[in-house]
Amino acid sequence: MAGYALKRLMTEYKELTTRPPEGIIAAPVDEDNFFEWECLITGPEETCFANGVFPARITFPQDYPLSPPKMRFTCGIFHPNIYADGRVCISILHAPGDDPTGYELSNERWSPVQSIEKILLSVVSMLAANGQ
């Protein structure tokens, strides 16, 4: 399965480099490890995060895209969906299927059709929604 995951990650990296989303930079830490990525996210305009650049790491499981990656900001950032250690808590990063707490719908959670770009854009939206 790791072979498929690596191929998928390489494809997504190529897409991100040819069509990068505005305000987001993301790439593997090094060419020998496509399962660990560094990201820079520019804070959304007209929010308390505006003009900030926030570094983060995304760690992908060996069975990606069947399981979601984990994302963590590597700088101090105060937000209700970001734990003190930087871990990001949003539906798109939660394991697929039904939510055991009944809080999230299954279609809000991780799905293999998601992508790194969608994750990062969701995090920017999260910052914009709570940063005003």
Side-chain angles (χ1 to χ4, degrees):
M1 188 65 187
Y4 178 79
L6 178 60
K7 184 176 179 180
R8 168 82 181 255
L9 289 167
M10 292 173 84
T11 300
E12 289 192 45
Y13 176 59
K14 182 178 179 182
E15 290 173 11
L16 281 172
T17 56
T18 57
R19 296 181 304 108
E22 187 176 333
I24 297 172
I25 298 171
V29 172
D30 63 56
E31 292 180 10
D32 294 328
N33 183 5
F34 262 75
F35 291 88
E36 188 78 25
W37 288 42
E38 292 178 321
C39 311
L40 292 174
I41 297 173
T42 303
E45 292 184 24
E46 299 182 26
T47 70
C48 63
F49 303 106
N51 302 317
V53 177
F54 305 95
R57 286 227 170 191
I58 301 178
T59 305
F60 296 90
Q62 294 292 311
D63 66 345
Y64 179 80
L66 297 178
S67 296
K70 296 189 183 322
M71 183 172 178
R72 185 177 70 81
F73 281 96
T74 57
C75 65
I77 183 169
F78 183 76
H79 188 280
N81 291 79
I82 301 172
Y83 293 106
D85 66 0
R87 286 178 295 137
V88 176
C89 179
I90 57 174
S91 300
I92 195 174
L93 292 176
H94 294 161
D98 292 330
D99 180 7
T101 64
Y103 179 73
E104 299 167 336
L105 299 174
S106 62
N107 65 350
E108 297 172 327
R109 296 167 68 88
W110 179 256
S111 164
V113 300
Q114 304 295 357
S115 66
I116 299 165
E117 180 179 9
K118 288 179 184 176
I119 294 166
L120 295 170
L121 291 173
S122 294
V123 170
V124 171
S125 293
M126 175 193 80
L127 293 174
N130 291 97
Q132 296 188 8

